[in-house]
Amino acid sequence: LAPYDVLRRFSQPVSGGHASDDLPVVMSRLLAEATGAQWAQVWLIVSDRLTLAATWPANTDEDRTPPVPQPDARDATGPGRRALTVLHRGQLLGVLRLQERPDLALTTVEERLFTALAAQAGLMLRIVGVRAELEVRHNELVARTGELTASRDRLIEAQDTERRRLQRDIHDGAQTPLVALAMNLRVAHRAHASSTER
């Protein structure tokens, strides 16, 4: 593909109706195919941490160590690695990384294409990043809901236990003397009715 075609196809996922889950896969595939890389990755900033979103080819034995982009578009994590940060409106959203093929460095055209793809990826990573953040928040809320439900269940169980204890105490403690007192009162009442002097 010509560089222009690659750039056009790279921006199509946003307008082409791809689910945001698919965007990192589409981006990593186009990046690998356009540059002839051994593999390509899309990393996202999620909860202030770099998180691997996709690798192409998917079954490759890629490095999962987060990239360390250098000013010359190199990646400090290994030889033949390239990494470029992706910004949108000045905010860091992620990193595009690729592994050059052994003994086959990127050409000048491929380097420029890599730079152009990273510059163009901002809006796509914004969409994917927002979805990833929402998913993290959703999972946190689900976990918090579970904790609150368990806490409520423990509180209800503790209240039921205390209610049963009070019922036992009333039955075993206060009820017996009250029944005896009632019986004594009846005896006294009968005695009084039969003999005023008694």
Side-chain angles (χ1 to χ4, degrees), residues 141-196:
L141 288 173
V142 167
R144 184 71 179 133
T145 300
E147 291 170 8
L148 290 173
T149 301
S151 175
R152 184 197 63 200
D153 292 345
R154 285 192 302 272
L155 183 60
I156 289 170
E157 180 61 32
Q159 288 173 339
D160 285 346
T161 302
E162 183 63 15
R163 181 181 50 77
R164 288 190 295 271
R165 187 189 67 76
L166 286 172
Q167 285 175 336
R168 273 194 313 274
D169 288 352
I170 289 171
H171 182 270
D172 298 341
Q175 186 173 4
T176 303
L178 288 173
V179 168
L181 181 60
M183 289 174 58
N184 288 338
L185 284 172
R186 277 196 295 269
V187 169
H189 187 307
R190 278 192 215 118
H192 174 65
S194 63
S195 169
T196 309

Side-chain angles (χ1 to χ4, degrees), residues 11-23 26 127:
S11 63
Q12 279 178 340
V14 173
S15 59
H18 284 278
S20 59
D21 287 344
D22 297 340
L23 285 175
V26 171
I127 292 167

Side-chain angles (χ1 to χ4, degrees), residues 129-141:
V130 166
R131 181 162 172 36
E133 286 286 348
L134 287 174
E135 189 170 330
V136 167
R137 298 291 175 254
H138 175 262
N139 292 341
E140 289 172 355
L141 288 173

